Amino acid sequence: MHTIVSARPVVLPSPGRGEDLQARVTAPVTGRDLPVIVFSHGFGWSMDGYAPLADHWAAHGFAVIQPTHLDSRTLNLAPDDPRTPEIWRFRVDDLIGAIDGLDALEAAVPGLAGRLDPTRVAVAGHSWGGQSASMLLGARVAGEPGDRTDKRVTAGVLLAAPGSGDELTPFATEHLPFMKPDFAHMTTPALVVAGDHDQSHLTTRGPDWFTDPYTLGAGPKALLTLFGAEHSLGGIVGTTVTETTDENPARVTLLQKLTTAYLRTALGVDEEAWPTARKELAAETEPLGSITAK
């Protein structure tokens, strides 16, 4: 485990966005050729959330970049702002912009210059951030033109990401028309994480809605189902966060371990990390989750 350093805000010029993109960068203080994880936060959050994941990944050899999207409560964008209907597009632009700006991000963090490996990049995201991240993996929004697949991204982790838009509630249908992901072209390898007690008010389906990125996704995928987990997956946003309805440190620890193992193997750091982690979970007498793969 590495000592880590975190810098914020690191600012990237973002013409056409209305304001520059702010991000947090967290990385180990030593090591070279660091693989990169670009993380997309859930609705309303910011670069300052998800420390249980970002800090853990950085302590295990990754550089983690957390952009703050326009829907963040820290920016307080007005509902009638002309950018509001297009925030889902801006979110994807933010993630691509962070990858485009890796050199600038390196230069802005003391001691980080020249230490990132731009050939090993993953995206990850929670909730709406999962849908945003999935677009770089090949997912699309049904009925919307354009393909935002980013070939620089070779792996993904989608945490409680929304499922298909076929069975949305009337509220979601009216107010969230972009929540119609099409996973048929999502061919980049990814780990999908779903809680089997995660009941969303955006769909008429049950918790299985969050398994759609795995079930409907193309290409190699793995599904981690966390037993008893709700939308916060045990508390990945942070400790003592009021939005966490299922606080469970053991579940968060498992998620830290399994996502790290998956990314280490998917990004070519350690080919045995993920197979070993799967075997260890399968061998537990009272596991907190299960893994399937295709």
Side-chain angles (χ1 to χ4, degrees):
M1 185 176 296
H2 302 271
T3 301
I4 65 174
V5 61
S6 186
R8 65 165 305 278
V10 181
V11 180
L12 291 174
S14 303
R17 189 175 183 267
E19 54 190 288
D20 290 337
L21 178 64
Q22 297 186 34
R24 176 187 289 269
V25 180
T26 307
V29 298
T30 60
R32 300 189 64 83
D33 299 324
L34 302 176
V36 177
I37 303 170
V38 180
F39 185 86
S40 181
H41 63 72
F43 174 76
W45 279 93
S46 72
M47 60 185 167
D48 294 325
Y50 300 93
L53 291 178
D55 290 357
H56 182 86
W57 290 334
H60 288 78
F62 297 91
V64 184
I65 301 169
Q66 296 174 264
T68 293
H69 299 302
L70 289 174
D71 59 275
S72 173
R73 289 187 291 268
T74 64
L75 299 179
N76 198 29
L77 202 68
D80 60 353
D81 188 289
R83 293 169 292 177
T84 297
E86 300 296 318
I87 280 183
W88 70 274
R89 299 183 194 273
F90 282 107
R91 278 176 149 264
V92 180
D93 290 341
D94 292 345
L95 301 179
I96 294 174
I99 300 172
D100 290 342
L102 285 181
D103 288 345
L105 291 169
E106 274 191 320
V109 180
L112 190 59
R115 295 175 54 216
L116 302 186
D117 185 349
T119 70
R120 294 190 294 180
V121 177
V123 291
H126 175 240
S127 192
W128 192 9
Q131 181 176 346
S132 303
S134 75
M135 303 285 283
L136 276 67
L137 304 175
R140 303 174 186 177
V141 173
E144 294 287 345
D147 175 11
R148 305 306 304 276
T149 305
D150 194 316
K151 295 300 184 182
R152 296 170 296 181
V153 176
T154 55
V157 174
L158 307 180
L159 304 152
S164 73
D166 296 336
E167 294 153 304
L168 295 178
T169 61
F171 172 86
T173 299
E174 179 180 357
H175 296 284
L176 306 170
F178 57 83
M179 197 163 282
K180 296 180 180 179
D182 176 2
F183 301 111
H185 303 280
M186 193 175 72
T187 58
T188 304
L191 170 64
V192 177
V193 181
D196 68 0
H197 281 51
D198 188 358
Q199 180 59 59
S200 174
H201 67 280
L202 301 177
T203 180
T204 59
R205 285 170 55 190
D208 68 302
W209 187 55
F210 293 98
T211 67
D212 281 357
Y214 170 78
T215 304
L216 304 178
K221 298 288 182 291
L223 172 65
L224 168 61
T225 302
L226 294 174
F227 303 150
E230 298 177 12
H231 200 58
S232 295
L233 304 176
I236 60 171
V237 176
T239 57
T240 68
V241 172
T242 57
E243 293 179 26
T244 299
T245 58
D246 62 334
E247 187 170 3
N248 188 317
R251 188 177 295 137
V252 173
T253 297
L254 177 65
L255 190 54
Q256 290 170 329
K257 174 183 175 181
L258 291 176
T259 55
T260 299
Y262 178 82
L263 290 169
R264 284 179 61 82
T265 295
L267 294 178
V269 178
D270 179 357
E271 65 180 13
E272 294 301 320
W274 178 238
T276 298
R278 290 189 61 182
K279 290 177 183 177
E280 291 175 351
L281 180 64
E284 292 184 7
T285 55
E286 296 184 9
L288 295 177
S290 65
I291 297 172
T292 57
K294 64 177 184 179

